[in-house]
Amino acid sequence: MGFLFFSATIVNGLSHIVATSNVHSFNHLQTFVSYFSNLFQAVRMEKRADLRSILQYLPLVAQSSSLVWPPSVEEELQTISRGPSDSKVNSGEALTLHIRNMRKSLSLNANDLTPYALQGYALFFDKKISREESANFFGAVVPALCGLLLQLPSMLEKHYQKADHVLDGIASGLRLLGPQEAGIVLLSQDLIAALLACSFFCLFPEFDRRLKNLQGINFDALFSFPYMRQCTKQENKIKCLIHYFRRICRCMPTGFVSFERKILPLEYHPHFVSYPEADSWANSVTPLCSIEVHTSGAVEDQPGEALEVDFADEYFGGLTLSYDTLQEEIRFVINPELIAGMIFLPRMDANEAIEIVGVERFSCYTGYGPSFQYAGDYTDKKDLDTFKRRKTRVIAIDAMPGPGMGQYKLDALVREVNKAFTGYFHQCKYKIDGSLKIPLKTDTNNTQLEASSSRQVPRTSDSANQVVESSKRWCIDHEEKKIGVATGNWGCGVFGGDPELKVMLQWLAISQSGRPFMSYYTFGLQALQNLNQVTERITLEEMTVGDLWKKLVEYSSERLSRKTWLGFFSWLITSLST
């Protein structure tokens, strides 16, 4: 503290001397002012808790209170940035040599890379794409990416200098946002581009990430040679990412992206909404929102103002940087800025969701799963908000994987509806719109719900008041009353959920959160072919959230006791008819 005061005092004193001195000594004294100002900023950087939390997961090192590349890495980057005529990096084979060298200079263990990953780089750039594409990538894109990486230390320092002032005092700096730590990270698109360039060159240290429930962030598994040789979907994921790098090297976007870890507090508090129990859902008198059913199209193509649901894995990003191409993975490669969240967002708990605002889409695609293919450039025309974020709002919520008959148990119903509710609800809406009539949790015992993996949901920390207050101050939805939810078969498909059950649980959560509509994309699923007729009948009956919840609970009880084998739609129509 004394040193900080001393530095600040010297800076102020020298500034005064400069202001009062004659012209001959001005330049000399200005140099001293600049030196001590930089020193003061450097000491402040070193003291930052947000930087300290993430520094071990970055490829940079702290030196004299500044962030720098190790000299040998900086030399490699400078050489490659001058282009293939100087660096000789004109092929996948040559690229792998420099990746090895930089990783060695960063003291990164070669065994941390997926086996045969570097062979995959050589295969893709030397065999899988045309010579013209490869020449363009090594001639223009790779040098530009290395030039971007050379700026990463200064970009991060600039980011932290502004991080405490962008959102009216709310911390927004890059940091580890751990479980039960509600908070927001706001990153510029150029900083995200630099971080993803680190992933491409496999420069992130992997040590200790798994212990913190963080996914791998380097691209090595994506390029893994055995998968690359046999799997066209993986090849097409890479094509989406290469196209992203090509675009940002040609014209760097200037907007921002926010990543928010949202928490529905478990403990009772009289002034905000906490984790509802089954009785709260049963007692709700909130009317059901309107619903639009689409048998074709995709969530990301919805034309209006809506939250767009990411059918997420509990590990944010799922298998994006590996072999899979399901809904979450596809979304992450057509909007690659989402991948940046994998750097600092560990596994989600049952009362958590992640909201991302501002990601830009860069690619078109066709197909799904094994048939996925990159289909060219996409121009994102979404408007920007006051924080220079695109008005694209992605909500990541993870369903219970492989629930089987367990999904009909009451605690599973509560877990799933509350997971969706966590994503869709904003605490600010409860204060602004009193008509929501959300029953507050009334029991104050410490009962803990079980998540799908049989691990218990941890209690929310004592900072619940701060969590809610931050959410209210950051909330953008109170100015935009028409934002609904665009979603689809969340928790179905490979997750094994009952689609008729899941669509109703989502409808309940969206309605209870005060959203005006649910825009539902069935992806042509046969089990939901009668969704329109069923929702029309429910609307005709003027059912509330509580009414529909009680029907779901009754049906689920009968499924568990084997009193019925009907799907929920058929069971409900029969129940309403009698």
Side-chain angles (χ1 to χ4, degrees), residues 309-451:
V309 180
D310 165 21
F311 309 160
D313 188 89
E314 62 180 346
Y315 288 90
F316 184 66
L319 296 173
T320 298
L321 300 183
S322 186
Y323 57 85
D324 228 337
T325 45
L326 301 178
Q327 194 258 10
E328 180 171 42
E329 289 81 11
I330 291 173
R331 191 65 199 263
F332 273 56
V333 295
I334 66 172
N335 293 79
E337 290 158 339
L338 288 166
I339 296 172
M342 296 169 65
I343 298 171
F344 55 88
L345 291 166
R347 182 184 65 193
M348 286 183 277
D349 285 329
N351 65 326
E352 297 182 317
I354 294 169
E355 180 170 350
I356 311 96
V357 182
V359 287
E360 183 174 352
R361 181 174 171 183
F362 290 85
S363 296
C364 296
Y365 74 96
T366 60
Y368 186 84
S371 64
F372 172 78
Q373 284 194 326
Y374 165 71
D377 183 53
Y378 181 91
T379 302
D380 196 328
K381 297 180 180 179
K382 287 282 183 75
D383 292 334
L384 302 182
D385 67 12
T386 55
F387 296 103
K388 295 183 68 178
R389 304 173 303 175
R390 269 185 170 71
K391 292 185 178 181
T392 298
R393 304 169 177 85
V394 179
I395 296 291
I397 50 173
D398 56 301
M400 296 166 57
M405 290 298 291
Q407 67 188 300
Y408 301 108
K409 294 180 179 179
L410 184 60
D411 62 346
L413 296 176
V414 170
R415 189 272 182 198
E416 295 295 79
V417 74
N418 281 344
K419 169 61 73 167
F421 183 58
T422 303
Y424 307 147
F425 178 66
H426 267 297
Q427 294 286 348
C428 65
K429 293 188 75 66
Y430 177 68
K431 282 291 185 185
I432 291 167
D433 189 355
S435 67
L436 291 183
K437 300 177 183 175
I438 298 174
L440 297 180
K441 184 176 171 183
T442 54
D443 62 317
T444 55
N445 61 37
N446 290 327
T447 302
Q448 294 179 328
L449 301 177
E450 286 191 341

Side-chain angles (χ1 to χ4, degrees), residues 163-378:
D164 297 333
H165 311 292
V166 179
L167 304 179
D168 191 27
I170 297 174
S172 65
L174 176 61
R175 63 196 185 280
L176 192 67
L177 273 182
Q180 306 304 313
E181 285 184 47
I184 292 164
V185 169
L186 183 70
L187 303 176
S188 62
Q189 287 183 279
D190 58 348
L191 177 54
I192 290 175
L195 293 170
L196 295 185
C198 289
S199 294
F200 174 76
F201 290 107
C202 298
L203 301 181
F204 282 107
E206 296 288 353
F207 175 75
D208 200 37
R209 287 187 66 85
R210 291 173 183 83
L211 295 177
K212 292 287 188 180
N213 291 315
L214 289 162
Q215 293 223 72
I217 190 60
N218 290 320
F219 285 5
D220 53 311
L222 192 60
F223 279 91
S224 179
F225 175 74
Y227 291 126
M228 178 75 63
R229 187 172 53 183
Q230 304 167 9
C231 189
T232 58
K233 64 182 183 181
Q234 190 161 339
E235 179 182 327
N236 279 277
K237 284 168 72 175
I238 296 172
K239 287 181 178 179
C240 288
L241 297 174
I242 295 305
H243 175 69
Y244 161 74
F245 286 131
R246 189 181 297 118
R247 278 272 305 271
I248 59 103
C249 288
R250 190 165 61 238
C251 181
M252 181 65 72
T254 58
F256 290 83
V257 179
S258 65
F259 300 81
E260 179 183 3
R261 194 175 194 99
K262 299 175 67 176
I263 296 175
L264 195 61
L266 296 175
E267 66 267 32
Y268 169 74
H269 191 285
H271 300 304
F272 59 76
V273 177
S274 54
Y275 199 85
E277 305 291 357
D279 287 348
S280 295
W281 288 101
N283 294 331
S284 173
V285 294
T286 301
L288 293 167
C289 69
S290 65
I291 179 171
E292 307 163 358
V293 179
H294 306 273
T295 56
S296 62
V299 170
E300 65 270 12
D301 294 324
Q302 64 85 23
E305 289 281 343
L307 304 177
E308 300 172 5
V309 180
D310 165 21
F311 309 160
D313 188 89
E314 62 180 346
Y315 288 90
F316 184 66
L319 296 173
T320 298
L321 300 183
S322 186
Y323 57 85
D324 228 337
T325 45
L326 301 178
Q327 194 258 10
E328 180 171 42
E329 289 81 11
I330 291 173
R331 191 65 199 263
F332 273 56
V333 295
I334 66 172
N335 293 79
E337 290 158 339
L338 288 166
I339 296 172
M342 296 169 65
I343 298 171
F344 55 88
L345 291 166
R347 182 184 65 193
M348 286 183 277
D349 285 329
N351 65 326
E352 297 182 317
I354 294 169
E355 180 170 350
I356 311 96
V357 182
V359 287
E360 183 174 352
R361 181 174 171 183
F362 290 85
S363 296
C364 296
Y365 74 96
T366 60
Y368 186 84
S371 64
F372 172 78
Q373 284 194 326
Y374 165 71
D377 183 53
Y378 181 91

Side-chain angles (χ1 to χ4, degrees), residues 445-464:
N445 61 37
N446 290 327
T447 302
Q448 294 179 328
L449 301 177
E450 286 191 341
S452 59
S453 61
S454 298
R455 56 189 169 84
Q456 290 186 317
V457 180
R459 304 302 300 172
T460 310
S461 68
D462 294 335
S463 61

